[in-house]
Amino acid sequence: MAAYDLIILNGIVVTDTAIEEYDVAIKDEKIAKVAKRGALKDAQVAKTINADGGYVMPGGVDGHVHLQEPPLFGKGSSADNYETGSRSAICGGTTTMVTFAPQKKSEDTLLDTLHATHERAKGNCYIDYSFHLLVGNPSERALSEFKTLREEGISSLKIYMTYETLQLNDGQILDVLLEARRNQITTMVHAENGEVIDWMTKQLEKRNMFAPKFHGTSHAPIAETEATYRAICLSEFMDSPILIVHVSTPPAAAHIKSAQDRGIPIYAETCPQYLFLTKADLDKPGFEGAKCVCSPPPRESEKDCDVIWDGLSNGTFTILSSDHCPFRYDDNVNGKKTCINNEYPEGHFKYIPNGIAGIETRLSLALSADRLGLKKFVELTSTNPAKLYGLYPLKGAFIEEQSDADVTIWYPPGKMQEFELKNEMLHHNVDYTPFEGRTLKQWPRYTILRGKVVWDKENGGLLGEKGYGKFIKREASSLAKPRNNGEWDIYADGSFGCS
Ligand SMILES: *[C@@H]1O[C@H](CO)[C@@H](O)[C@H](O)[C@H]1NC(C)=O
């Protein structure tokens, strides 16, 4: 029998398509064999792990992570760098992340942006990683670089319909969608109408309403609903696939579902903040609410959360990501409290850095909630992000000799004592978690990255090392594809579309 580096025994293997009592053998950083429980008992092996009946899943893939970005949205700067963010990820069962390489409006090249981001990440990551190019300025030059981006292993980018410093107009969005389509690049869209938000902000200021909760008011649901529908129309017009990031409102989700039902290549993401947080979290006394300020904001009530949960179960959402975008709370230089000054002694919602931490808690929150089937959970948090972003079957799967041996092993169902989440348990560089006090009943017992145990909850905790995580060159998406093959063009008779 073959010799293996590591065998995981007595687990319940869960993938997006199967739940089976299987043992898993690993060799040379790859999944070498997945076989019926007991079938590998005579194999020669250097090391075994007894999963004790716990779930054995492909490692988490987080498709939406902000780390160590230059200030783009005004005040504040990210609390996590590549080292602390990826360390936090691995302790929560995530083995691959796709972070952003952000281009500023004042820059006209994307390749410099990509190289600068490589420099920040190189040698600092505990987990495998890639980048989405964040396009702030779709200049002629930037558009002409899409081809080279693909050669460098980048197959997705992100654009914004809001934020003064990043917002693209509809013509610019069409430029991006056309060029993305030509190069088999998936475009992620932050869909909120920036002008509606600015208008609401001014209305609130006139009324001297500055508290954190008014962040939620300023980001009125119609800003998201309208921009989502507009993004869908622009995507359909160009026949260029898009992924709408961090969807939070039921009407936006309904627009997405109806576009999908018509066969348009529209994909969607949601995040734990839209499943677990509501307006009540923004409305905590004093400045506390700032801890949950992110965009879009947590919505009205648990009913909204229920609709988003439904969308996860019924296929409206393709992926569940963290949108990890951490700022410290008690920090008036880089954190949430930068918005407190002489003019606004209690702060001003408009200046609260937008974003919350969640890379370490994404999987445990969703699994503990017990509202998705196990296969669906793996699909949304690992397999689909891998497929969508051109990482499959290297990541997000247990395919013999093809998939990297990235594994998250959980406790056997019912074995773990329920506990309250506390920030002190986490490994990020943030002084709070927006999910403080939530009851959890699962946490990864082991995380394995390319065959190496990097997290062992009961024996040493974090065992990984920074620098073991490597950059992964990505292929075109195996999920998001245009409906037609030909070039988009305008023809002599005045018609337009794909030939
Ligand atoms: C699926 O979920 C979405 C919302 O997330 C909802 O709009 C839609 O009605 C649901 N569809 C079905 C068939 O349940």
Side-chain angles (χ1 to χ4, degrees):
M1 262 223 157
Y4 299 112
D5 301 327
L6 173 66
I7 295 184
I8 302 161
L9 298 169
N10 304 322
I12 299 173
V13 167
V14 183
T15 64
D16 62 325
T17 53
I19 304 177
E20 301 279 358
E21 292 184 345
Y22 278 154
D23 295 338
V24 178
I26 292 166
K27 186 170 172 56
D28 298 334
E29 303 192 2
K30 294 278 181 199
I31 299 290
K33 195 103 202 140
V34 182
K36 282 225 148 52
R37 190 178 283 179
L40 296 168
K41 67 179 187 311
D42 298 326
Q44 280 185 297
V45 62
K47 180 179 159 70
T48 59
I49 287 180
N50 187 346
D52 276 334
Y55 302 130
V56 177
M57 298 182 179
V61 179
D62 195 337
H64 194 149
V65 178
H66 298 268
L67 294 176
Q68 212 174 335
E69 293 176 3
L72 285 171
F73 310 95
K75 295 182 186 176
S77 99
S78 168
D80 276 317
N81 56 24
Y82 275 86
E83 178 181 344
T84 63
S86 65
R87 177 182 74 197
S88 183
I90 212 153
C91 305
T94 289
T95 47
T96 305
M97 62 181 178
V98 192
T99 63
F100 294 97
Q103 179 207 29
K104 293 186 197 149
K105 262 207 159 86
S106 57
E107 299 166 337
D108 82 333
T109 159
L110 293 168
L111 295 178
D112 288 357
T113 306
L114 175 61
H115 299 144
T117 310
H118 267 298
E119 286 309 309
R120 288 198 282 277
K122 205 165 80 190
N124 288 320
C125 291
Y126 284 83
I127 67 174
D128 287 352
Y129 61 95
S130 181
F131 310 119
H132 309 288
L133 253 293
L134 195 166
V135 181
N137 176 17
S139 64
E140 290 279 321
R141 178 167 170 200
L143 294 168
S144 74
E145 292 169 341
F146 281 20
K147 191 166 179 289
T148 314
L149 288 179
R150 281 301 314 283
E151 288 158 12
E152 301 232 357
I154 305 296
S155 54
S156 54
L157 53 83
K158 182 180 177 195
I159 57 173
Y160 285 79
M161 299 170 84
T162 182
Y163 294 121
E164 210 182 329
T165 48
L166 292 167
Q167 184 173 339
L168 304 190
N169 63 39
D170 294 350
Q172 291 174 309
I173 294 174
L174 291 176
D175 280 340
V176 169
L177 289 175
L178 179 59
E179 207 51 41
R181 177 183 199 287
R182 283 191 180 129
N183 290 285
Q184 292 179 283
I185 288 176
T186 307
T187 304
M188 306 158 77
V189 185
H190 179 135
E192 280 189 292
N193 180 320
E195 276 146 59
V196 170
I197 295 166
D198 291 346
W199 188 87
M200 283 296 281
T201 301
K202 290 196 186 107
Q203 295 296 317
L204 288 157
E205 286 175 320
K206 275 192 206 163
R207 292 163 174 80
N208 286 321
M209 297 163 91
F210 302 122
K213 68 175 172 190
F214 298 122
H215 167 76
T217 313
S218 69
H219 287 246
I222 68 129
E224 181 179 333
T225 308
E226 183 277 335
T228 299
Y229 185 61
R230 181 156 38 105
I232 290 169
C233 293
L234 297 176
S235 156
E236 180 172 9
F237 182 46
M238 278 296 116
D239 186 24
S240 187
I242 58 170
L243 175 282
I244 315 256
V245 293
H246 49 48
V247 175
S248 73
T249 69
H255 278 305
I256 289 161
K257 183 79 172 97
S258 103
Q260 292 167 341
D261 289 346
R262 286 187 297 125
I264 317 292
I266 305 293
Y267 297 84
E269 168 198 85
T270 193
C271 315
Q273 39 276 40
Y274 310 112
L275 302 172
F276 296 100
L277 302 179
T278 64
K279 194 167 138 186
D281 295 284
L282 282 176
D283 195 13
K284 296 243 173 84
F287 191 63
E288 271 300 287
K291 289 182 175 174
C292 295
V293 165
C294 55
S295 292
R299 295 301 185 183
E300 193 67 26
S301 68
E302 280 176 19
K303 271 202 197 130
D304 294 302
C305 300
D306 287 343
V307 175
I308 303 300
W309 278 110
D310 282 348
L312 283 170
S313 301
N314 79 19
T316 304
F317 296 110
T318 316
I319 60 176
L320 176 65
S321 314
S322 69
D323 192 4
H324 183 79
C325 184
F327 296 94
R328 294 175 70 83
Y329 176 69
D330 202 8
D331 177 338
N332 56 17
V333 179
N334 292 314
K336 297 282 186 183
K337 291 189 176 170
T338 48
C339 72
I340 297 177
N341 54 33
N342 290 339
E343 199 183 350
Y344 302 108
E346 268 142 47
H348 183 329
F349 70 84
K350 171 166 94 169
Y351 300 116
I352 300 174
N354 271 221
I356 59 178
I359 198 168
E360 190 169 348
T361 47
R362 174 183 71 126
L363 298 174
S364 296
L365 279 168
L367 190 62
S368 295
D370 240 345
R371 292 180 66 157
L372 303 166
L374 292 169
K375 290 188 282 186
K376 196 71 188 172
F377 171 80
V378 172
E379 179 187 295
L380 288 162
T381 59
S382 176
T383 310
N384 273 358
K387 287 182 174 170
L388 184 72
Y389 295 129
L391 290 160
Y392 186 88
L394 187 69
K395 304 296 187 185
F398 285 156
I399 298 183
E400 290 174 1
E401 283 163 32
Q402 291 188 49
S403 302
D404 278 347
D406 299 349
V407 187
T408 305
I409 305 177
W410 300 85
Y411 282 85
K415 253 289 173 59
M416 199 175 204
Q417 194 89 50
E418 287 193 359
F419 65 99
E420 279 190 8
L421 178 65
K422 291 196 167 43
N423 191 54
E424 68 206 36
M425 298 168 182
L426 303 178
H427 300 77
H428 54 200
N429 186 36
V430 194
D431 57 357
Y432 79 97
T433 164
F435 305 107
E436 183 81 22
R438 303 273 155 173
T439 302
L440 297 182
K441 49 189 181 193
Q442 270 287 11
W443 194 268
R445 186 171 176 189
Y446 301 95
T447 310
I448 296 169
L449 173 59
R450 283 181 280 107
K452 197 169 143 182
V453 178
V454 287
W455 165 253
D456 179 343
K457 191 170 186 306
E458 282 157 45
N459 291 296
L462 176 69
L463 303 178
E465 281 161 29
K466 78 168 188 175
Y468 182 64
K470 66 177 188 193
F471 176 73
I472 307 284
K473 279 193 155 192
R474 294 186 285 127
E475 308 289 332
S477 176
S478 54
L479 274 188
K481 295 193 168 107
R483 287 201 284 180
N484 303 290
N485 286 326
E487 270 283 296
W488 189 98
D489 213 339
I490 302 177
Y491 303 97
D493 66 354
S495 64
F496 54 82
C498 301
S499 53

